[in-house]
Amino acid sequence: DNVLELARIENNKIILEESLTKADESLDSCIIMFQESLKEKDQMLTVSQKISYPYVYVDGSRVSEILLNILSNAIKYTGKGGKIHCSLRQKPYGKEGWCLLEISVRDNGIGISEEFQKHIFESFSRERTSTASGIEGTGLGMGIVKKLVDLMQGTIEVKSKAGEGSEFTVDIPCRIGKKEDMEANASERRISEK
């Protein structure tokens, strides 16, 4: 799936479908998806949110894809009993009617060496092979994340220290929406379904 997704992105076959979305929807659904994995590894996930605008125009499925990849890595590379923190907040953006949606995932896992941080967003790049680390993966997830973030005119950065954990921060510019628009869209859908 990741290889196909990467090919679609690189061949400009992905069109962002921005729609009015609840700002915290992607994070909430991703957390639900990972409950079992967290329980299996006895990991503690904490979440903080600071949302000023509950509704934004964004491609929610792409935001979910970004979050799924980052959160999945945090769980994968954090040991049993480890801690992961997810934060979602909105920051000012220098454009009227817009804000920056900041997603941050921090863990106390194995971390990433300074040298590998320069290559983490390259396709097929892994710091350790699955034979050496015992952790399966293709090395495509973060490459896809970077390409999706770029498509959304956003930024991604990583802070990490080997043996101490990692923090990934994504900023995505979003147009601010209103609850009334959401309700209007819902009633339009109901009318067209009749």
Side-chain angles (χ1 to χ4, degrees), residues 19-68:
S19 59
L20 191 59
T21 310
K22 286 183 79 177
D24 58 0
E25 195 168 41
S26 294
L27 179 60
D28 291 348
S29 59
C30 287
I31 288 168
I32 290 164
M33 286 178 71
F34 285 114
Q35 288 304 315
E36 205 51 49
S37 306
L38 290 161
K39 205 183 293 176
E40 275 172 31
K41 290 185 83 174
D42 193 29
Q43 292 171 336
M44 188 170 91
L45 174 70
T46 55
V47 178
S48 65
Q49 293 187 16
K50 192 177 176 193
I51 302 288
S52 308
Y53 310 104
Y55 298 92
V56 291
Y57 286 91
V58 71
D59 188 330
S61 68
R62 298 298 174 200
V63 171
S64 291
E65 197 172 340
I66 289 166
L67 245 169
L68 283 169

Side-chain angles (χ1 to χ4, degrees), residues 90-168:
Q90 289 168 331
K91 303 189 301 190
Y93 186 60
K95 201 169 169 184
E96 183 68 33
W98 288 66
C99 70
L100 268 183
L101 187 64
E102 182 193 81
I103 300 159
S104 171
V105 178
R106 188 179 70 239
D107 65 60
N108 65 349
I110 63 173
I112 306 158
S113 70
E114 209 171 307
E115 183 52 39
F116 186 67
Q117 287 177 46
K118 298 172 194 161
H119 305 285
I120 191 160
F121 299 118
E122 295 169 9
S123 301
F124 299 104
S125 67
R126 295 194 63 191
E127 187 163 21
R128 300 166 192 85
T129 65
S130 51
T131 314
S133 68
I135 299 168
E136 292 299 319
T138 58
L140 283 174
M142 294 316 293
I144 289 171
V145 164
K146 174 76 169 102
K147 289 182 186 322
L148 287 174
V149 169
D150 289 348
L151 264 177
M152 298 170 103
Q153 310 293 308
T155 60
I156 182 167
E157 66 174 45
V158 59
K159 288 182 193 156
S160 187
K161 215 169 187 180
E164 292 181 21
S166 306
E167 181 174 14
F168 286 86

